[in-house]
């Protein structure tokens, strides 16, 4: 048995292998409602053999969307649309998962293939919010600094979205606190300039993330796993870094987080990232060893042998693949054969294997 194809048990859930579909925005929803595109996108990765199939960053409120075309879980119609997709993923043997998110100051932007600049309210956009003032970059919307009531609404929105995720049949929820979105904006001193209970020192900057986790755990059953995605570093001087990530992650087991999905960057446009194959994997390993919590590794993992090495070296407990699974939805099947592992094929496709 290879490590990549060894099952992973968390709470009452057993993942058939350690390949997860990283949440990847499709920018193809209407009013937050996923459609046939999302069913085929997620369903094909489940058919392809992934252990966890995670739906994209799904907004907990309308103003939490990255773009007007993002999916959501702020109303029951959206939950009802997700339900058959979660059921299909589960029927193929994968764990249906969803990432809950709020984009903060990086909200109200165009879909990427139209340029990513801000969308004005008169064109279907909205007023964006953040811990402090200051747009992400030129052409992005100017945020309004959140007051205590607004912060409370965000916490309530995450709680309500988690409840709807459960109603839709998802079996794993990930909270998005990475890539420069709202929770990450509160974590980093580069974007959190507050001097109240929600900013300043480290403990106050991590407060919103911890309160969101607690709110989600209030409604997310004890029997189901909860993950947190973080950016381990801002790749920018004076920002959030690996040391602070370890300090945060050391507190997560006690508040009900089962795994930290370790990514990096996305907070500021002047970040300096050293990109290369597996460039973010060492962050997952450092956090795993220092904070004693399971981790997921991401970032240009593109081959079966590379994924196997990440796991056997102890850098992570699971790998999350993005672009490689866009190119090849059947990567898990191909990897299993390369590594000599047994991964059942759907009976409808068996004659091809």
């Amino acid at each position: 048995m290879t490590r990549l194809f060894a099952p992973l048990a968390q709470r009452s859930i057993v993942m058939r292998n350690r390949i997860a579909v990283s949440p990847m925005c499709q920018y193809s929803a209407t009013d937050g409602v996923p459609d046939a595109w999302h069913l085929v996108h997620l369903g094909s990765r489940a058919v392809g053999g992934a252990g966890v199939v995670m739906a994209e960053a799904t907004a907990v409120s309308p103003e939490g969307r990255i773009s007007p075309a993002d999916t959501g879980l702020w109303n029951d119609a959206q939950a009802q649309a997700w339900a058959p997709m979660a059921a299909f993923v589960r029927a193929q043997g994968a764990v249906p998962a969803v990432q809950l998110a709020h984009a903060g100051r990086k909200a109200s932007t165009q879909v990427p293939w139209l340029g990513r600049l801000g969308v004005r309210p008169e064109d279907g956009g909205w007023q964006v919010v953040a811990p402090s003032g200051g747009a992400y970059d030129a052409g992005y919307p100017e945020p309004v600094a959140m007051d205590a009531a607004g912060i409370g609404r965000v916490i309530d929105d995450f709680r309500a979205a988690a409840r709807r995720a459960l109603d839709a049949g998802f079996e794993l929820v990930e909270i998005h606190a990475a890539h420069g979105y709202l929770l990450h904006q509160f974590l980093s001193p580069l974007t959190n300039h507050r001097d109240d209970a929600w900013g300043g020192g480290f403990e106050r900057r991590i407060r919103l993330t911890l309160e969101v986790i607690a709110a989600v755990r209030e409604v997310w059953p004890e029997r189901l796993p909860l993950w947190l995605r973080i950016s381990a570093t801002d790749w920018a001087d004076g920002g959030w870094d690996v040391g602070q990530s370890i300090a945060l992650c050391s507190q997560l087991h006690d508040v009900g987080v089962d795994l930290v999905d370790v990514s990096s960057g996305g907070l500021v446009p002047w970040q300096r990232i050293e990109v290369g194959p597996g460039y973010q994997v060492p962050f997952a390993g450092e956090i795993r060893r220092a904070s004693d919590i399971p981790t997921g590794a991401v970032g240009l993992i593109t081959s079966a042998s590379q994924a196997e090495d990440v796991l056997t070296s102890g850098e992570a407990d699971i790998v999350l693949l993005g672009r490689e699974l866009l190119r090849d939805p059947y990567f898990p099947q191909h990897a299993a054969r390369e590594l000599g592992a047994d991964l059942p094929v759907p009976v409808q496709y068996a004659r091809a294997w």
Side-chain angles (χ1 to χ4, degrees):
M1 174 65 71
T2 71
R3 186 69 171 166
L4 188 61
F5 288 95
L8 176 63
Q10 289 193 330
R11 300 185 185 255
S12 68
I13 298 298
V14 178
M15 303 157 206
R16 61 183 170 186
N17 58 54
R18 296 170 186 243
I19 300 171
V21 179
S22 197
M24 294 177 284
C25 290
Q26 300 298 293
Y27 304 105
S28 299
T30 302
D31 297 327
V33 177
D35 59 19
W37 176 267
H38 302 86
L39 173 61
V40 173
H41 166 67
L42 298 171
S44 61
R45 275 84 198 159
V47 169
V52 176
V53 175
M54 190 177 299
E56 63 200 77
T58 296
V60 300
S61 64
E63 61 273 15
R65 292 172 293 170
I66 303 167
S67 80
D70 283 26
T71 58
L73 267 171
W74 67 80
N75 64 42
D76 293 342
Q78 295 157 354
Q80 291 166 8
W82 282 118
M85 303 182 197
F88 183 85
V89 168
R90 189 184 313 106
Q92 309 314 306
V95 176
V98 64
Q99 185 186 68
L100 303 180
H102 191 301
R105 71 174 187 168
K106 293 178 79 174
S108 194
T109 60
Q110 280 287 5
V111 298
W113 48 87
L114 293 180
R116 268 289 197 215
L117 295 179
V119 179
R120 298 175 300 179
E122 57 267 31
D123 296 324
W126 54 90
Q127 175 63 59
V128 304
V129 297
S132 306
Y136 170 72
D137 201 0
Y140 278 71
E142 181 67 33
V144 170
M146 301 172 71
D147 59 16
I151 293 171
R153 283 193 297 273
V154 165
I155 296 170
D156 291 342
D157 289 339
F158 271 94
R159 183 190 295 109
R163 186 182 295 112
R164 290 191 178 95
L166 181 64
D167 292 342
F170 289 108
E171 296 178 331
L172 189 158
V173 156
E174 178 173 272
I175 297 169
H176 200 353
H179 300 162
Y181 299 126
L182 184 66
L183 298 185
H184 186 187
Q185 292 162 27
F186 270 86
L187 292 173
S188 177
L190 293 178
T191 45
N192 185 342
H193 306 140
R194 304 173 73 96
D195 58 4
D196 61 1
W198 304 96
F202 171 79
E203 294 297 334
R204 288 183 287 177
R205 285 186 280 112
I206 69 172
R207 179 181 172 185
L208 179 57
T209 295
L210 293 179
E211 293 209 8
V212 165
I213 292 167
V216 168
R217 262 295 169 207
E218 287 176 13
V219 298
W220 193 245
E222 186 70 20
R223 62 183 175 82
L224 296 178
L226 172 64
W227 293 3
L228 179 74
R229 172 166 273 194
I230 66 166
S231 282
T233 175
D234 291 340
W235 298 98
D237 293 341
W240 183 261
D241 56 24
V242 176
Q244 294 173 85
S245 294
I246 290 170
L248 169 64
C249 292
S250 297
Q251 303 182 38
L252 296 181
H253 182 270
D254 292 339
V255 295
V257 174
D258 298 289
L259 181 141
V260 181
D261 174 0
V262 183
S263 189
S264 69
L267 184 81
V268 291
W270 62 85
Q271 63 188 5
R272 297 185 301 276
I273 302 181
E274 301 167 9
V275 177
Y279 70 102
Q280 297 175 121
V281 171
F283 300 138
E286 192 170 351
I287 289 169
R288 185 175 187 263
R289 289 184 288 271
S291 56
D292 196 28
I293 192 167
T295 61
V298 306
L300 296 184
I301 300 171
T302 59
S303 72
S305 59
Q306 181 191 13
E308 179 75 3
D309 288 346
V310 168
L311 301 178
T312 57
S313 64
E315 296 289 81
D317 299 88
I318 198 166
V319 292
L320 295 99
L321 306 185
R323 289 174 175 83
E324 187 60 29
L325 281 170
L326 290 182
R327 290 187 287 266
D328 180 8
Y330 304 101
F331 173 89
Q333 293 288 352
H334 298 142
R337 277 145 189 82
E338 180 179 333
L339 297 174
D342 180 28
L343 180 60
V345 177
V347 295
Q348 297 91 336
Y349 287 5
R351 63 185 180 273
W353 295 93

